[in-house]
Amino acid sequence: MPDTPESKATDTPPDRLSLDPRSPHFDEALLSRGVGIKFNGQEKTSVIEYSISEGWIRVPAGRSPDRFGQPMTIKLQGKVEPYFEDAAQPDGGEGVASEG
């Protein structure tokens, strides 16, 4: 089977991912699927960036922005377990609409 982007759709998040579009670890396609983070066994919803191999996450440190207008962050060390909230769609399709 040839290696195409459709065949590489997996349910394993990358080693490092960032929400900041200026970061080289930003990937809009992966983020659109919804990435959840478990940090030291607890669900975290305010993670800005993570690294599995280095074992850290970055979270906002209060409400104060830095000098560039971005939220100030702190790095927390521990066990990082990312997961996708939505399943991969092999055809790249939109999915099925629900009634409601």
Side-chain angles (χ1 to χ4, degrees):
M1 219 178 205
D3 286 334
T4 61
E6 292 81 26
S7 67
K8 291 188 178 191
T10 65
D11 285 334
T12 305
D15 178 60
R16 189 166 176 181
L17 189 62
S18 175
L19 293 178
D20 186 2
R22 300 175 297 165
S23 171
H25 303 289
F26 177 78
D27 188 346
E28 188 173 1
L30 289 175
L31 292 171
S32 68
R33 289 182 58 191
V35 178
I37 301 290
K38 274 192 170 183
F39 181 70
N40 290 336
Q42 293 184 339
E43 186 74 25
K44 294 289 184 183
T45 58
S46 61
V47 175
I48 294 176
E49 186 174 4
Y50 74 83
S51 175
I52 300 171
S53 62
E54 296 176 19
W56 56 261
I57 61 173
R58 283 200 183 275
V59 294
R63 300 171 125 194
S64 300
D66 65 6
R67 63 181 180 223
F68 302 108
Q70 301 298 316
M72 291 176 62
T73 62
I74 57 174
K75 185 188 280 189
L76 302 174
Q77 299 284 337
K79 184 177 179 185
V80 180
E81 301 173 53
Y83 60 89
F84 287 118
E85 295 171 351
D86 296 334
Q89 295 183 4
D91 297 329
E94 293 295 318
V96 179
S98 63
E99 294 180 29

